Amino acid sequence: MNATSATPAERDRAGPGSARILVWDVPVRVFHWLIVLCFAGAYLTAERESWRLVHVTLGYTMAGLVVFRLLWGVMGTRHARFSNFVRGPRAVMDYVRSMLRGRTRHYAGHNPAGAIAIVALLGLALAVTASGWATYEDVAGEWLEEFHEAAANIMLGVVGVHIAGVLLGSWLHRDNLIGAMITGRKTGRPEDGVGRAWRSVGILMLVAVLGFWWTQWNSPPTRADNGPAAVSGKAAGQAQDDD
């Protein structure tokens, strides 16, 4: 399992025999940081017409990443699977109460409260990207654009709550949860670790995303009303009028 020794403080939180174990495989980590990049970039470019191609590309990328995560949540490694960390309301309430008492149970993967944030973010990401595509293609009226913006703002709020929960969990368990999403390792029992990092899948994800970005940059999508081709045509027409 390639586990390393844990510090005394880490052993106190995770139990006797604890070590630094591999919890998050490479695909989960690549997904996490690409989603962070895509959502942040899409949110910051939402109101800038000159950055429309970047906004749309990042939105489409986020949709593809969510689809992958749903599939990986079924066939992925132990702690990536939804069956491993999605629990009922009672488990969530028990965890919150124990957290308020300062006696939180240590989980190798996502804790019950964190699982709610993960599921909510995946659902909101689907809502944001689907409504964004429909808005871009003029499938519905202005109400859909307002829904798109509202869903993005709600998602931003959930992201804030998620970050606060990660910081609180890091403090309660004396384990750097942000660092764990970089290295893949947390403190836990050796038998709770995963045996394979699946680097090949992570590399394929990066190649697919970079390839998609290259395609978008070289062959941007067009719309009849205000896509890149239409904008170029309007600019050319205006130049002829000026002459």
Side-chain angles (χ1 to χ4, degrees):
M1 194 67 65
N2 194 27
T4 57
S5 299
T7 66
E10 290 170 338
R11 286 196 295 271
D12 289 342
R13 288 292 179 177
S18 298
R20 299 295 293 177
I21 60 174
L22 181 63
V23 172
W24 305 124
D25 57 46
V26 173
V28 167
R29 284 177 273 159
V30 171
F31 163 81
H32 179 274
W33 294 114
L34 282 177
I35 278 288
V36 170
L37 172 64
C38 289
F39 179 69
Y43 194 91
L44 292 174
T45 57
E47 302 298 330
R48 302 180 182 180
E49 188 64 32
S50 59
W51 290 85
R52 174 63 65 87
L53 178 59
V54 175
H55 179 77
V56 171
T57 300
L58 293 177
Y60 288 166
T61 304
M62 191 163 67
L65 288 170
V66 171
V67 171
F68 167 82
R69 185 63 182 91
L70 293 176
L71 294 174
W72 198 246
V74 176
M75 62 181 66
T77 55
R78 179 177 182 179
H79 300 292
R81 294 195 297 267
F82 297 119
S83 59
N84 178 266
F85 62 85
V86 176
R87 302 172 179 86
R90 182 174 180 179
V92 175
M93 292 306 300
D94 288 343
Y95 180 82
V96 172
R97 282 194 292 264
S98 67
M99 183 175 61
L100 294 176
R101 293 194 298 265
R103 302 176 183 176
T104 52
R105 174 185 171 185
H106 184 275
Y107 288 85
H110 292 299
N111 61 62
I116 292 180
I118 301 302
V119 173
L121 287 172
L122 290 175
L124 285 167
L126 286 177
V128 169
T129 54
S131 59
W133 172 84
T135 299
Y136 185 68
E137 297 294 334
D138 288 331
V139 172
E142 186 176 344
W143 70 270
L144 192 58
E145 182 177 357
E146 294 176 354
F147 173 84
H148 177 66
E149 294 178 359
N153 288 328
I154 293 173
M155 186 171 175
L156 180 63
V158 176
V159 167
V161 173
H162 176 59
I163 293 174
V166 168
L167 295 176
L168 179 60
S170 297
W171 176 69
L172 289 174
H173 298 293
R174 300 176 191 174
D175 202 355
N176 186 350
L177 300 184
I178 297 177
M181 194 51 72
I182 297 175
T183 65
R185 295 187 177 276
K186 292 177 62 178
T187 303
R189 298 174 300 179
E191 60 267 27
D192 289 334
V194 298
R196 185 175 178 183
W198 288 96
R199 292 182 180 85
S200 58
V201 176
I203 293 172
L204 287 175
M205 290 174 64
L206 285 174
V207 170
V209 168
L210 293 176
F212 174 67
W213 288 354
W214 183 87
T215 301
Q216 287 287 97
W217 180 261
N218 288 276
S219 302
T222 59
R223 290 171 55 195
D225 54 350
N226 61 351
V231 172
S232 299
K234 292 177 183 177
Q238 184 177 0
Q240 291 177 356
D241 291 341
D242 292 340
D243 292 340

